[in-house]
């Protein structure tokens, strides 16, 4: 069934995921042979500086190089494993590898989301596999699930916790009452957040992943540049506590829904009722809940990052190559998806959580409710906290309202001089 | 990439799953072509009685037959979809189909678990695919996940809610305070339980599935006939309530663990702490939590039965055939797994929940604790309920204890004449 020939890898990048992958290849060597019938070996590892001291040892027999050409010109190498990060350099390398008839396994969500179509076309022209299970949600098999296991379903919605760093920070703020800056510093100390955490906490990493998931689930192109994205850097512990009192958790979610044929999508901090499984996803875990017109809801949960969880996803792709799978790169016959019919973000409807800081005086709640009513926004519950003459928070949750109306109501309130501070509002899942 | 040739199915059995499959094939027809490049059509449907009135209409162009030979002798049919149930008849049909060079998709967990190896050998000899995603946990892609997505992992444990009927009954007992018989009748009325519910409530259906999952995850044969199995027919609402007070839910679980190279496995009602995701799996849902040495824990949740969820799983297998996937039937090069090194059930260690009914008099708790201590069983917490002179329950939870010692302690207690009723004990996950 499987060939006895070894499968030879060239690995570009030897950071967290690269070392995770090589450690699994070593530890599970015999197991992988039982599964695929082939030995998988690393021949060449591309790094920036071959002389840098490394704590991790190279795989046996592998050689270091700083010359990308060594990976793509070596006819012995069957698979390029791209774990460099960045956009331009890996793009060039992947294209060369595909055109040289090699299969490619990558974890590069930014590249695929922002500039991936040329790669998929090149893969198709060369009959090569372009695999990227590790690019979304680490060890969770979400790519395979959407591309193959649920392939017969027309999806109606998908929502996920797609970034472990943001989820760790929000979880710490929720569970241990930390403020944002403390939780972020802690995440950095523990290695859950990078020195420059912008991509994670501003939601762009989650947005890259959401772009890829939309393609896999809906077969449509929702350009990364058009996705509404809001991060968590402005989140106040106070809102997490109010949300809790109403039975909700605050989570950074990537969401997409098919609303009468149009896709409504975005990355936002959102309130999730505590009885939902996705509300219970803690720490550095990721999760995705998707719903198909045949299967109903399916929920996947696991570690979204880390050396060996992400390495496990990379390895599953490599093993698919080793088994001689026919490439199914995008999950569709067409390698470049048609443009999505995008619902303009201001038309999106959701229930909302609001917090406004107001003076504790008669008529304030009436004026607030009036501004909402003028925009057809119906208040479901409201609570005023404390009795500080300097200003008190009023928190209220609404029934379904259009984003456009929410924006107008907030403008109204600001114009009326009612608010002592910038108002806060989050969607409710 | 994909051939333009239609993929032609012969479907054996036209019950719930068969009608679910054909309805998805019709509703998602264009979508499936976008995914695979091929039209998938049903040519022949095998039923017991071709003259029976059916509420569901046949797929367009399909013909009914009561002659199994029509499915396997027709050279136009590419795939046999076996949804008949039973063991002997489907086994014969599947073997004929494989030997005729057809691929086979089946949902038949009982056949595969009790008598599947001959089928896998025949598939291999014929270079055919033998697919069975629908045989375990309905729409949840657990087979694909273990066989491919987590294939690079050596698994350390797997635990799941593998039977929706039993889970529905326990959920109703927990949430609505029903007793077992009422909950079972309700499940039958709603179509969640069959007229003869033995396979579901006595744990055998879950055990069939566990057998298959053990093969997929560990590549070992743990014979169905050797699996310890305990159902839920004896469950008393009282224990569900006591468990709740301690923060636990009672769930029927299939579990397997690798303990120093030996597999400890079985199907039991078990207490699960409410903070675990698996404790929150309600109604007819299924879920599986598995842990691999690279990926860590992964949790999958979805509908475990029903026409279109199970149909979705059948369809994913059919679409894999349509894409021309290389067969990977067992997930291993060897099609018949080596025997598992089985841990004798009496050596298994777990924490336990006990309830005993005793007379409310001095010294009883001392005697109970003494019987436990003589078997090296350490009590973690205990509570005595009520003050009925006719007899009161004492509930206690233990630290880790061997099943053998638990059995001996229970014998001891019974012999000492302390117990007014049969004692109850459950493992704690």
């Amino acid at each position: 069934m499987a060939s006895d020939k070894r499968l030879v890898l060239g690995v570009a990048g030897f950071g967290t995921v690269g070392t995770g992958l090589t450690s699994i290849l070593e530890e599970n060597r015999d197991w992988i042979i039982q599964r695929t019938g082939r030995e998988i070996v690393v021949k060449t590892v591309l790094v920036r500086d071959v002389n840098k001291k490394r704590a991790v040892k190279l795989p046996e027999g592998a050689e270091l190089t700083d010359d990308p050409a060594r990976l793509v010109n070596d006819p012995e190498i069957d698979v390029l494993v791209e774990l460099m990060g960045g956009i331009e350099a890996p793009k060039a390398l992947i294209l060369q590898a595909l055109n040289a008839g090699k299969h490619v396994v990558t974890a590069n969500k930014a590249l695929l989301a922002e500039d991936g179509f040329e790669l998929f076309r090149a893969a198709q022209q060369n009959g090569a596999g372009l695999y990227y299970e590790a690019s979304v949600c680490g060890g969770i098999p979400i790519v395979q699930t959407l591309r193959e296991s649920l392939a017969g379903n027309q999806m109606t919605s998908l929502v996920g916790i797609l970034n472990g760093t943001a989820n760790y920070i929000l979880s710490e703020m929720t569970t241990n009452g930390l403020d944002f800056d403390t939780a972020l510093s802690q995440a950095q100390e523990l290695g859950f957040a990078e020195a420059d955490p912008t991509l994670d906490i501003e939601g762009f990493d989650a947005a890259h992943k959401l772009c890829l998931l939309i393609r896999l689930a809906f077969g449509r192109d929702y350009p990364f540049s058009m996705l509404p994205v809001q991060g968590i850097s402005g989140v106040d512990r106070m809102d997490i506590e109010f949300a809790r009192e109403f039975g909700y958790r605050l989570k950074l979610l990537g969401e997409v829904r098919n609303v009468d044929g149009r896709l409504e999508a975005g990355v936002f901090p959102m309130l999730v009722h505590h009885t939902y499984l996705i509300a219970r996803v803690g720490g550095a875990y990721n999760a995705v809940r998707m719903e198909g017109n045949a299967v109903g809801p399916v929920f996947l949960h696991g570690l979204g990052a880390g050396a060996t969880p992400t390495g496990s996803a990379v390895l599953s792709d490599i093993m698919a190559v080793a088994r001689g799978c026919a490439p199914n790169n995008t999950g569709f016959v067409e390698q470049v998806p048609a443009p999505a019919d995008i619902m303009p973000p201001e038309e999106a409807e959701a229930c909302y959580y609001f917090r406004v800081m107001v003076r504790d005086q008669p008529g304030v709640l009436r004026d607030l409710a009036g501004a909402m009513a003028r925009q057809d926004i119906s208040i479901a519950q409201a609570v005023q906290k404390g009795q500080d003459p300097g200003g008190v928070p009023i928190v209220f949750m609404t029934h379904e309202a259009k984003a456009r109306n929410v924006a107008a109501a907030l403008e109204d309130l600001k114009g009326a001089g009612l608010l002592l501070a910038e108002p806060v509002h989050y969607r409710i899942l």
Side-chain angles (χ1 to χ4, degrees), chain A:
Chain A
M1 105 180 252
S3 127
D4 286 335
K5 192 177 165 294
R6 300 187 314 164
L7 186 79
V8 180
L9 313 181
V11 177
F14 201 56
T16 306
V17 181
T19 53
L21 171 66
T22 55
S23 77
I24 311 170
L25 282 171
E26 187 181 330
E27 187 174 348
N28 294 354
R29 186 180 166 281
D30 294 342
W31 181 250
I32 291 165
I33 294 173
Q34 287 176 44
R35 286 282 201 185
T36 64
R38 300 174 74 171
E39 192 176 5
I40 296 174
V41 295
V42 178
K43 182 175 181 191
T44 312
V45 176
L46 175 68
V47 293
R48 235 169 292 178
D49 177 3
V50 294
N51 296 315
K52 182 176 150 188
K53 294 243 176 216
R54 288 164 213 284
V56 200
K57 73 173 185 357
L58 273 186
E60 212 183 298
E63 50 194 16
L64 276 185
T65 180
D66 56 9
D67 177 11
R70 291 275 297 277
L71 296 183
V72 291
N73 295 338
D74 183 343
E76 268 194 12
I77 290 180
D78 301 300
V79 183
L80 168 68
V81 181
E82 187 276 303
L83 306 169
M84 308 158 72
I87 303 256
E88 289 311 322
K91 182 181 173 187
L93 190 64
I94 289 174
L95 280 174
Q96 287 167 39
L98 292 170
N99 290 328
K102 301 187 190 311
H103 302 287
V104 171
V105 173
T106 177
N108 197 326
K109 65 220 73 166
L111 169 57
L112 294 179
E114 295 192 28
D115 199 11
F117 297 139
E118 200 180 333
L119 305 183
F120 286 107
R121 266 194 231 103
Q124 187 177 33
Q125 280 158 12
N126 291 287
L130 173 55
Y131 291 87
Y132 47 100
E133 181 62 79
S135 66
V136 187
C137 293
I140 303 175
I142 182 65
V143 173
Q144 173 90 329
T145 294
L146 288 170
R147 194 179 51 196
E148 290 168 15
S149 300
L150 305 183
N153 287 266
Q154 298 189 63
M155 305 307 285
T156 52
S157 68
L158 179 150
V159 59
I161 293 177
L162 306 178
N163 183 278
T165 305
N167 198 56
Y168 176 85
I169 291 170
L170 291 177
S171 296
E172 286 298 304
M173 291 176 73
T174 305
T175 310
N176 298 326
L178 304 186
D179 61 27
F180 178 83
D181 291 332
T182 312
L184 172 59
S185 306
Q186 183 177 303
Q188 286 169 322
E189 275 162 36
L190 293 170
F192 291 148
E194 313 208 24
D196 176 0
T198 310
L199 269 178
D200 292 325
I201 65 174
E202 298 305 346
F204 300 118
D205 174 77
H208 282 140
K209 293 166 180 166
L210 182 61
C211 257
L212 297 182
L213 294 179
I214 291 173
R215 285 186 208 158
L216 287 161
F218 296 92
R220 287 287 175 273
D221 173 30
Y222 196 126
F224 173 72
S225 58
M226 293 180 69
L227 261 184
V229 179
Q230 182 188 343
I232 61 166
S233 60
V235 168
D236 190 319
R237 196 175 59 184
M238 191 195 309
D239 295 300
I240 288 178
E241 281 159 20
F242 284 135
R244 268 186 89 93
E245 289 180 32
F246 283 102
Y248 292 84
R249 305 286 177 271
L250 189 71
K251 294 290 185 188
L252 182 67
L253 300 181
E255 192 193 16
V256 55
R257 293 193 299 159
N258 179 340
V259 183
D260 303 326
R262 295 196 298 176
L263 293 188
E264 184 211 317
V267 173
F268 314 99
M270 290 173 83
L271 268 64
V272 186
H273 197 261
H274 74 95
T275 53
Y276 288 20
L277 287 175
I278 211 161
R280 314 196 72 93
V281 177
Y285 280 86
N286 281 192
V288 180
R289 180 199 193 272
M290 60 223 110
E291 191 157 343
N293 71 338
V295 76
V298 173
F299 175 84
L300 271 55
H301 176 272
L303 289 164
T308 62
T310 309
S312 162
V314 172
L315 179 55
S316 75
D317 285 344
I318 296 169
M319 289 171 74
V321 176
R323 287 195 315 270
C325 281
N328 181 29
N329 300 333
T330 62
F332 294 87
V333 176
E334 287 300 325
Q335 297 302 289
V336 176
D341 188 355
I342 292 175
M343 171 179 282
E346 62 273 19
E347 288 182 37
E349 289 187 56
C351 300
Y352 280 86
Y353 161 98
F354 283 85
R355 174 174 59 82
V356 293
M357 301 300 292
V358 295
R359 239 176 279 285
D360 185 12
Q361 62 192 30
V364 168
L365 191 55
R366 178 203 59 205
D367 295 346
L368 269 175
M372 292 291 143
R374 276 192 298 281
Q375 296 295 335
D376 264 340
I377 301 172
S378 164
I379 293 178
Q381 38 183 336
V383 57
Q384 178 178 328
K385 284 286 177 176
Q387 299 193 305
D388 187 333
V392 293
I394 292 184
V395 173
F396 56 98
M397 324 256 291
T398 74
H399 293 293
E400 281 227 321
K402 273 203 178 11
R404 174 195 294 126
N405 296 6
V406 166
L410 288 171
E411 279 315 300
D412 234 29
L413 287 177
K414 287 188 212 171
L418 277 168
L419 308 183
L420 302 175
E422 195 60 22
V424 171
H425 69 290
Y426 296 118
R427 294 175 185 220
I428 301 169
L429 181 66

